[in-house]
């Protein structure tokens, strides 16, 4: 019986496990010591930990939630950064707002968003924030709307 337990444990230890993050978002978890420092219910990927919510909040509520977990709303460098998210019909707040002071879309840290990431078709309005949907791209929406959100925490 003990031998069978050891064999079964070793067999399942090597398998990839598919973790459901939120409706429509999945990721293959891999056993990797780099990701062991991610908080519970967070997913490690490329030196970052991500929390993909399943609850609806305004942009500010989402930003505050992420800050309370020592993280920020997602700051993407390219549209393929989150390729681990399967095609999702949901939109998620990311860390972009329009800055009237800079007359540009900016990340939470104040840096300007690349035009490659955010096309000119987005409304230049300080009352709008940005949502990301893997299947639907990047859109602006009133910051007071409620959406799910993605928090990001760098491991390094």
């Amino acid at each position: 019986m003990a031998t069978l337990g050891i064999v079964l444990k070793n067999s399942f230890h090597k398998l990839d496990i598919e973790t459901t993050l939120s409706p429509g978002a999945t990721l293959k978890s891999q056993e990797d010591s780099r990701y062991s420092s991610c908080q519970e219910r967070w997913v490690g990927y490329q030196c970052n930990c991500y929390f993909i919510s399943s609850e609806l909040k305004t942009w500010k509520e989402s930003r505050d939630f992420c800050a309370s977990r020592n993280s920020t709303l997602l700051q993407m460098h390219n549209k393929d950064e989150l390729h681990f998210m399967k095609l999702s019909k949901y939109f998620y707040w990311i860390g972009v707002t329009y800055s009237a002071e800079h007359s540009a879309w900016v990340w939470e840290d104040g840096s300007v968003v690349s035009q490659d990431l955010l096309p000119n078709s987005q409304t230049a309005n300080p009352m709008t924030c940005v949502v990301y949907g893997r299947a639907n791209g990047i859109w602006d929406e009133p910051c007071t709307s409620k959406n799910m959100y993605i928090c990001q925490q760098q491991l390094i």
Side-chain angles (χ1 to χ4, degrees), residues 52-119:
I52 302 175
S53 78
S54 58
E55 63 183 340
L56 301 173
K57 294 183 180 282
T58 66
W59 187 88
K60 182 184 179 320
E61 291 168 342
S62 300
R63 183 195 62 198
D64 292 347
F65 174 89
C66 293
S68 75
R69 302 302 191 276
N70 247 358
S71 64
T72 61
L73 282 169
L74 175 67
Q75 182 169 328
M76 299 168 44
H77 299 289
N78 62 61
K79 290 180 185 177
D80 296 326
E81 187 169 337
L82 293 181
H83 76 277
F84 63 77
M85 289 180 68
K86 302 265 188 229
L87 291 179
S88 173
K89 61 183 176 184
Y90 300 99
F91 283 104
Y92 300 88
W93 288 123
I94 62 175
V96 177
T97 57
Y98 186 79
S99 168
E101 178 184 340
H102 294 97
S103 298
W105 290 97
V106 296
W107 294 107
E108 281 185 82
D109 67 5
S111 61
V112 175
V113 177
S114 162
Q115 287 299 318
D116 294 341
L117 187 61
L118 194 64

